């Protein structure tokens, strides 16, 4: 059927009649001008894609009537303009597409019909690790190891880019997905076959929201949802409430964008924005650069919102010019957005739309801060870091115990709070020239003051794009960063996702001997326990300049106001002023840098160019591969849907508590040598050096099933300590979780999982749903869920059950050592949010 809103189409410029757009002002509906700008993007998409099949007129009316329908749990479809993936989540998506082609062929169909119809960009940024640091050739060495370990995965992805239409691969060594998206991939406005419409996207990484800072509506989804979007399906979403976040005032000259985002994160956690959009407005927004806004949007998952939107304004337009976008494109972007009612003037209060709720932040009240030691929302003022850390230690042994050790023929001491990892990493901060140049200028001042960093501290600098290296080098601060140990080690996420590489053995031995709470300090966005490194039990998020400051101090237990940095030099003596930073930024961050880096981004990596990939349209699976394996998800695919059935006499595989993250469920880091995954790889003839990480093995279901719940910091209430273990209830044996699940499966016994609040928080990770599915888990019973993870569970056929308000396992007297029968209604009666009956009886 033709689009019923076709009458809204008109030329953007009468002189170019073939360049058109949907003019929503022609709806002649006063409600449009009162909608939040983020909701206007949803409305435009619904109108443009209305076909009365996937997107209907009633959906358009529901969005237009947002002021009422936001409270009615109304579902609407959304068709994003594009999809973005990184390699950890992109490899399993391409594996699924390859397996789908095989399944379609088995069913007698045309396998080449399995193709992305929505443009997809895949950025390879999650594979490189900090194996080498503090040496001039660290970058080269780490990149060589990256290709050595991941050649098979890279060849597979290169095959995918050739076999599938609408799929572009950004090779390794190019930068971090969200920074590359911000600086290069973002269109802001699409010009597709002569039709202008807003850029929008979903991504298989929870920090996809970073692009909201540029006025492009986007958020993270599970890999399963992303695959559906790539195949042309709209996302079905509950029309969200929109929290208006009003920014006022100007930040103090010592405050960085990192301090602002950590303050916003804690504030919005307290407000409660889960499942909602946040839209920023107010005069304070004009005080923020696009890099600052992107930093705030990046950490949207940490404060729990779906999106964190800054509408496009003149600052956005200047950023497009600064980053080398073509001038004629920048002109039509602004012209279209103005004509469509999507361009913002933050000083004009008449443009302020209606919001569900308004909360405010005076930027002048923000103070320098960090977040930790285990959660990104736990903000700690820098002035309180010492006392906060010591209170977190609690009864942990003797607070002042020290352990002596030898490193490179010199003697050192470690204690609780000693910094052993200091990493300038993650798109959250490396996309922001103000904090990166601030770190460089602080390093220059520190070196000139005679300050150093102890050699055993694992320091690293992993920029989010080659542009960062350009302006650090051209501004003259790179040599000083190198002198303090912050050499460029790679272009990728690295330490922020757990690719921190090994610590010196003598450091690990000292930590273990003293049972020390050692510290990692990183300019990242995630610091969940066990994520950054197994031996850093406390991890703090901090701005890049503070990362260097704590590296110089060598401990988190310092009060910078009253204690010097190792010599009679205080932090305030070497901290650069905002004016100094801005002067350097204006001089050295120029459009030519962006053009030079991005004109050659898809061809500059010779190792990638020399990869030989298969040319078949069906992937030739190698049965000996330990990286790429045809998954079992489509093996029993039929043309008919299998009806739902009750879950009878299910055992509890795990009884977990609150805040179980996707890192607990499906870790991305190193594969422990005594784990089921290690045994599998050893049986395949691999040595521990060749194990690589769980994240790099996501194309192999056999590894990933064995790696499910393999996080060493997992606390299962069946076990009295943190360990990836459980009790096999029929035999009362303590086993690795995979081994226990295998026994249940072999006996034909159903499994469920008990857990608490915020189950599945953290990174969007489809293997956190696929893995439990392969372990035989049929349902999860939790107090609450993270949005993306709940959707992934549904996509894998695992039922996400939620206790009734005020109830949990403890209140109901459930120990997990019972049998559970879940009465699932017939498919025609099944609906989200309905109550279901669960019958519980003793295992005995």
């Amino acid at each position: 059927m033709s689009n019923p809103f076709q009458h809204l189409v008109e030329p953007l410029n009468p002189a170019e009649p073939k360049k058109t757009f949907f003019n929503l002002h022609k709806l002649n509906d006063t409600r449009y001008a009162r909608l939040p700008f983020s909701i206007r993007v949803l409305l435009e998409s619904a109108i443009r894609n209305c076909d009365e099949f996937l997107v209907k007129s009633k959906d358009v009316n529901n969005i237009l009537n947002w002021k009422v329908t936001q409270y009615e749990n109304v579902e609407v479809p959304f068709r994003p303009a594009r999809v973005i993936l990184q390699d950890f989540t992109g490899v399993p998506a391409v594996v699924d597409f390859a397996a789908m082609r095989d399944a379609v062929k088995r069913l007698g169909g045309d396998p080449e019909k399995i193709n992305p119809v929505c443009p997809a960009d895949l950025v390879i940024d999650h594979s490189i690790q900090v194996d080498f640091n503090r040496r001039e050739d660290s970058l080269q060495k780490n990149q060589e190891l990256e290709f050595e370990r991941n050649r098979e995965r890279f060849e597979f992805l290169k095959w995918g880019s050739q076999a599938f239409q609408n799929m572009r691969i950004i090779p390794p060594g190019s930068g971090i997905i969200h920074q590359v998206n911000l600086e290069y991939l973002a269109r802001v406005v699409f010009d597709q076959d002569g039709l202008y419409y807003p850029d929008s996207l979903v991504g298989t990484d929870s920090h996809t929201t970073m692009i909201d800072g540029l006025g492009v509506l986007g958020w993270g989804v599970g890999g399963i949802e992303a695959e559906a979007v790539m195949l042309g399906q709209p996302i079905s979403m509950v029309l969200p409430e929109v929290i208006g976040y009003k920014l006022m005032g100007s930040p103090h000259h010592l405050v960085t964008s990192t301090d602002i985002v950590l303050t916003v994160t804690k504030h919005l956690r307290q407000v409660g924005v889960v499942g909602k959009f946040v839209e920023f407005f107010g005069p304070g927004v004009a005080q923020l650069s696009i890099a600052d806004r992107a930093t705030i949007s990046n950490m949207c998952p940490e404060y729990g919102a779906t999106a964190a939107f800054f509408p496009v304004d003149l600052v956005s337009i200047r950023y497009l010019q600064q980053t080398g976008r073509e001038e004629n494109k920048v002109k039509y972007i602004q012209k279209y957005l103005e004509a469509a009612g999507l361009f913002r003037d933050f000083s004009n209060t008449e443009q302020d739309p209606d919001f569900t709720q308004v909360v405010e932040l005076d930027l002048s009240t923000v103070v320098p801060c960090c977040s930790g030691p285990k959660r990104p929302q736990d903000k700690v003022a820098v002035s309180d870091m010492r006392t906060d850390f010591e209170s977190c230690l609690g009864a942990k042994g003797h607070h002042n115990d020290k352990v002596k050790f030898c490193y490179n023929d010199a003697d050192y001491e470690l204690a609780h709070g000693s910094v052993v990892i200091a990493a300038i990493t993650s798109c959250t901060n490396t996309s922001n020239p103000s904090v990166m140049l601030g770190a460089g200028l602080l390093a220059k001042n520190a070196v000139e003051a005679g300050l150093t960093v102890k050699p055993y501290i694992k320091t690293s600098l992993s920029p989010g794009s080659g542009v960062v290296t350009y302006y650090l080098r051209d501004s003259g601060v790179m040599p000083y960063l190198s002198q303090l140990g912050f050499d460029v080690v790679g272009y990728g996420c690295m330490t922020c996702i757990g690719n921190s590489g090994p610590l010196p053995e003598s450091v690990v031995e000292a930590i273990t001997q003293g049972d020390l709470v050692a510290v990692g300090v990183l300019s990242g966005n995630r610091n969940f326990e066990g994520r950054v490194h197994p031996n850093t039990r406390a991890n703090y998020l901090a701005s890049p300049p503070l990362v260097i400051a704590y590296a110089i101090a060598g401990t988190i237990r310092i009060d910078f106001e009253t204690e010097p940095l190792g010599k009679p030099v205080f932090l305030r003596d070497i901290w650069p002023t905002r004016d100094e930073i801005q002067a350097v930024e204006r001089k050295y961050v120029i459009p030519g840098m962006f053009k030079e880096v991005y004109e050659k981004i898809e061809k500059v990596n010779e190792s990638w160019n020399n990869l030989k990939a298969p040319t078949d349209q069906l992937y030739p699976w190698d049965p000996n591969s330990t990286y790429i394996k045809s998954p079992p998800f489509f093996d029993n695919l039929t043309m008919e849907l299998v009806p739902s059935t009750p879950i009878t006499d299910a055992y509890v595989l795990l009884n977990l508590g609150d805040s179980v993250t996707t890192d607990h469920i499906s870790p991305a880091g190193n594969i422990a040598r005594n784990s089921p995954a290690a045994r599998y790889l050893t049986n395949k003839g691999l040595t521990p050096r060749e194990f690589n990480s769980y994240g790099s093995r996501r194309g192999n279901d056999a590894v990933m099933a064995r790696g499910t719940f393999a996080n060493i910091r997992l606390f299962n209430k069946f076990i009295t300590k943190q360990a990836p273990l459980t009790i096999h209830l029929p035999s009362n044996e303590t086993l690795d979780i995979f081994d226990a699940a295998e026994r249940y499966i072999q006996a034909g016994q159903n499994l469920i999982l008990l857990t608490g609040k915020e189950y599945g928080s953290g990174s969007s990770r489809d293997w956190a749903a696929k893995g439990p599915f392969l372990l035989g888990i049929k349902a999860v019973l939790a107090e609450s869920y993270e949005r993306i993870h709940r959707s992934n569970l549904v996509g894998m056929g695992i039922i996400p059950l939620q206790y009734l308000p005020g109830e949990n396992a403890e209140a109901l007297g459930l120990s997990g050592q019972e049998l559970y029968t879940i009465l699932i209604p017939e498919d025609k009666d099944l609906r989200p949010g309905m109550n279901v009956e669960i019958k519980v009886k003793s295992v005995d």
Side-chain angles (χ1 to χ4, degrees):
M1 180 178 176
S2 62
N3 189 325
F5 295 96
Q6 195 64 33
H7 64 282
L8 301 181
V9 175
E10 65 177 37
L12 181 62
N13 181 352
E16 297 180 285
K18 293 185 178 180
K19 294 285 190 177
T20 62
F21 75 110
F22 280 84
N23 186 352
L24 273 60
H25 293 296
K26 290 172 68 175
L27 289 167
N28 295 318
D29 194 313
T30 56
R31 292 174 295 179
Y32 178 61
R34 303 308 307 157
L35 290 176
F37 283 67
S38 51
I39 299 298
R40 296 182 201 186
V41 177
L42 298 183
L43 179 63
E44 191 282 337
S45 174
I47 285 175
R48 177 167 38 87
N49 292 295
C50 187
D51 58 3
E52 300 296 2
F53 176 58
L54 292 174
V55 183
K56 301 179 180 180
S57 296
K58 71 172 185 179
D59 299 316
V60 172
N61 291 329
N62 281 334
I63 300 172
L64 193 56
N65 198 32
W66 168 84
K67 197 167 182 179
V68 175
T69 52
Q70 61 173 313
Y71 302 112
E72 297 179 348
N73 207 36
V74 170
E75 289 201 20
V76 295
F78 174 54
R79 295 193 69 169
R82 58 190 175 97
V83 174
I84 194 165
L85 312 96
Q86 37 88 341
D87 53 305
F88 269 18
T89 52
V91 166
V94 180
V95 166
D96 286 348
F97 270 75
M100 281 184 222
R101 281 194 168 181
D102 292 343
V104 168
K105 184 177 182 182
R106 282 197 302 272
L107 292 171
D110 179 4
E112 293 195 32
K113 286 187 176 179
I114 300 296
N115 254 315
V117 296
C118 180
D121 296 305
L122 193 157
V123 181
I124 301 175
D125 68 346
H126 274 52
S127 299
I128 191 165
Q129 300 184 34
V130 191
D131 292 287
F132 295 90
N133 68 311
R134 285 182 175 257
R135 45 190 286 177
E136 287 185 4
D137 62 350
S138 294
L139 173 62
Q140 178 188 341
K141 289 285 188 182
N142 288 327
Q143 288 181 334
E144 287 172 355
L145 259 181
E146 178 188 22
F147 262 83
E148 180 184 324
R149 289 173 174 142
N150 297 284
R151 175 174 294 276
E152 199 175 329
R153 295 172 64 242
F154 293 169
E155 287 173 346
F156 174 71
L157 287 175
K158 195 164 187 178
W159 167 82
S161 69
Q162 297 165 357
F164 295 110
Q165 300 167 12
N166 285 325
M167 182 178 287
R168 172 170 52 175
I169 305 285
I170 304 298
S174 303
I176 301 174
I177 174 174
H178 306 304
Q179 187 164 343
V180 173
N181 193 20
L182 190 73
E183 295 175 352
Y184 174 61
L185 298 175
R187 283 76 154 177
V188 183
V189 171
F190 264 79
D191 175 7
Q192 188 72 33
D193 300 323
L195 181 68
Y196 295 115
Y197 55 92
D199 187 5
S200 61
L201 70 152
V202 291
T204 57
D205 189 284
S206 50
H207 294 103
T208 299
T209 52
M210 184 169 179
I211 202 62
D212 291 338
L214 186 56
V216 176
L217 185 62
W219 61 85
V221 297
I224 300 156
E225 276 186 289
E227 290 172 28
V229 172
M230 290 165 72
L231 291 172
Q233 295 295 305
I235 285 176
S236 181
M237 60 182 293
V238 174
L239 197 59
E241 296 180 14
V242 181
I243 306 301
Y245 199 88
K246 188 173 185 179
L247 295 174
M248 302 172 296
S250 300
H252 186 271
H253 71 278
L254 292 180
V255 165
T256 68
S257 58
T258 314
D259 303 320
I260 295 171
V261 71
L262 296 180
T263 302
V264 169
T265 298
K266 183 173 183 178
H267 185 198
L268 285 175
R269 272 282 176 181
Q270 293 168 337
V271 170
V273 293
V274 173
K276 302 174 185 179
F277 283 4
V278 175
E279 186 167 311
F280 294 85
F281 75 111
V285 176
Q287 302 292 318
L288 303 176
S289 68
I290 292 302
D292 292 336
R293 299 175 193 182
T295 297
I296 294 169
S297 294
N298 178 283
M299 287 192 70
C300 174
E302 280 65 55
Y303 40 87
T306 300
F309 193 65
F310 288 84
V312 175
D313 67 345
L314 282 174
V315 175
S316 317
I317 297 300
R318 287 196 289 269
Y319 176 81
L320 295 176
Q321 294 166 335
Q322 181 193 36
T323 51
R325 264 66 168 209
E326 294 177 23
E327 192 60 37
N328 65 316
K329 288 185 178 180
V330 175
K331 286 179 180 177
Y332 78 63
I333 287 170
Q334 182 171 351
K335 186 175 180 64
Y336 164 75
L337 293 171
E338 288 174 340
L342 294 169
F343 196 79
R344 190 72 165 91
D345 177 359
F346 289 104
S347 65
N348 182 0
T349 58
E350 291 184 3
Q351 279 194 3
D352 292 351
D354 295 328
F355 292 113
T356 309
Q357 175 189 355
V358 172
V359 293
E360 298 179 351
L361 174 67
D362 184 345
L363 293 172
S364 66
T365 64
V366 177
V367 298
C369 57
C370 301
S371 278
K374 294 182 181 180
R375 299 189 307 176
Q377 66 263 38
D378 294 334
K379 187 193 78 166
V380 186
V382 170
S383 57
D384 297 332
M385 282 288 284
R386 178 174 190 154
T387 55
D388 186 82
F389 177 81
E390 290 174 353
S391 68
C392 289
L393 278 178
K396 183 73 182 173
H398 299 286
H399 288 195
N400 296 316
D401 283 357
K402 295 183 178 179
V403 178
K404 294 182 178 181
F405 70 101
C406 181
Y407 178 75
N408 285 353
D409 299 323
D411 294 328
Y412 299 96
E413 290 181 336
L414 286 182
H416 292 303
S418 290
V419 173
V420 294
I421 289 178
I424 298 176
T425 180
S426 170
C427 50
T428 309
N429 287 289
T430 63
S431 61
N432 195 324
S434 66
V435 291
M436 295 301 288
L437 287 168
L441 291 171
L442 184 138
K444 178 177 183 293
N445 296 340
V447 169
E448 290 175 347
L451 299 173
T452 60
V453 175
K454 293 182 177 66
Y456 63 80
I457 296 176
K458 186 155 194 181
T459 48
S460 61
L461 167 60
S462 49
S465 80
V467 173
V468 179
T469 306
Y470 267 70
Y471 65 66
L472 290 178
R473 183 192 63 204
D474 290 0
S475 63
V477 298
M478 186 66 87
Y480 299 100
L481 288 163
S482 295
Q483 283 187 61
L484 294 181
F486 290 91
D487 298 279
V488 173
V489 295
Y491 297 94
C493 299
M494 303 189 88
T495 300
C496 189
I497 58 160
N499 286 357
S500 49
L503 289 173
E505 286 188 17
S506 58
V507 171
V508 173
E509 289 170 2
I511 293 170
T512 305
Q513 178 187 335
D515 193 24
L516 298 177
V517 180
V519 174
V521 185
L522 64 154
S523 63
N525 47 40
R526 292 273 164 84
N527 57 342
F528 302 126
E529 191 173 12
R531 177 185 176 97
V532 173
H533 193 280
N535 295 110
T536 57
R537 276 187 276 178
N539 297 282
Y540 288 90
L541 308 181
S543 67
L546 279 176
V547 170
I548 295 177
Y550 280 113
I552 293 170
T555 179
I556 214 76
R557 298 167 73 175
I558 182 173
D559 182 345
F560 288 127
E561 284 298 312
T562 60
E563 297 176 70
L565 283 167
K567 285 191 173 188
V569 177
F570 288 84
L571 180 57
R572 59 179 173 269
D573 300 327
I574 61 171
W575 194 274
T577 67
R578 182 181 294 273
D579 289 342
E580 286 178 299
I581 295 169
Q582 289 177 345
V584 174
E585 182 176 351
R586 282 192 297 270
K587 185 175 181 180
Y588 293 105
V589 184
I590 57 176
M593 287 181 177
F594 293 89
K595 286 182 178 178
E596 185 171 345
V597 167
Y598 285 114
E599 279 176 353
K600 56 189 179 184
I601 190 170
E602 294 177 47
K603 298 295 182 184
V604 72
N605 190 318
E606 286 302 321
S607 297
W608 174 264
N609 296 340
N610 294 331
L611 282 178
K612 304 298 182 186
T615 57
D616 315 56
Q617 290 304 301
L618 293 177
Y619 186 70
W621 306 99
D622 179 358
N624 297 316
S625 173
T626 57
Y627 276 107
I628 306 297
K629 179 177 175 290
S630 181
F633 308 125
F634 306 101
D635 287 353
N636 299 315
L637 188 68
T638 65
M639 298 297 289
E640 303 298 326
L641 289 176
V642 179
S644 302
T645 56
I647 299 170
T648 307
D649 289 341
Y651 284 88
V652 174
L653 180 63
L654 297 165
N655 185 3
L656 305 173
D658 296 337
S659 300
V660 175
T661 70
T662 52
D663 282 293
H664 289 112
I665 305 167
S666 184
N670 292 334
I671 298 172
R673 297 188 181 193
N674 60 346
S675 65
R679 292 197 294 272
Y680 169 83
L681 293 171
T682 300
N683 289 338
K684 290 285 186 178
L686 273 65
T687 63
R689 182 178 177 275
E690 299 169 304
F691 286 172
N692 210 334
S693 64
Y694 283 113
S696 67
R697 297 277 179 186
R698 286 181 183 162
N700 186 319
D701 61 273
V703 174
M704 297 310 296
R706 288 163 173 80
T708 303
F709 298 110
N711 191 311
I712 61 170
R713 300 298 179 195
L714 183 76
F715 185 80
N716 175 12
K717 294 178 184 178
F718 290 162
I719 307 294
T720 58
K721 61 180 180 179
Q722 288 182 326
L725 301 171
T726 195
I727 293 176
H728 178 251
L729 296 175
S731 66
N732 204 35
E733 287 183 69
T734 299
L735 301 171
D736 286 318
I737 292 166
F738 174 79
D739 296 338
E742 208 170 28
R743 281 204 196 177
Y744 284 118
I745 291 171
Q746 289 169 355
Q749 293 160 333
N750 291 319
L751 290 172
I752 68 167
L753 191 93
L754 299 185
T755 186
K757 299 183 184 75
E758 300 177 345
Y759 180 70
S761 56
S763 302
S764 60
R765 195 166 290 175
D766 56 344
W767 267 110
K770 289 177 176 177
F773 171 83
L774 293 177
L775 296 187
I777 293 172
K778 306 295 185 186
V780 176
L781 182 54
E783 290 182 67
S784 64
Y785 294 87
E786 194 277 336
R787 172 187 60 86
I788 298 174
H789 184 63
R790 181 179 58 202
S791 174
N792 276 339
L793 291 174
V794 172
M796 290 309 301
I798 297 175
I799 304 172
L801 299 170
Q802 192 162 323
Y803 292 103
L804 297 178
E807 295 184 351
N808 55 33
E810 186 176 343
L812 295 172
L814 302 176
S815 68
Q817 301 201 17
E818 304 93 2
L819 293 175
Y820 293 72
T821 294
I822 303 169
L823 304 178
I824 307 297
E826 293 183 13
D827 290 346
K828 63 182 178 65
D829 299 321
L830 200 59
R831 65 184 187 277
M834 70 182 299
N835 288 353
V836 296
E837 184 179 352
I838 301 177
K839 295 182 177 180
V840 181
K841 64 182 181 182
S842 171
V843 169
D844 300 328

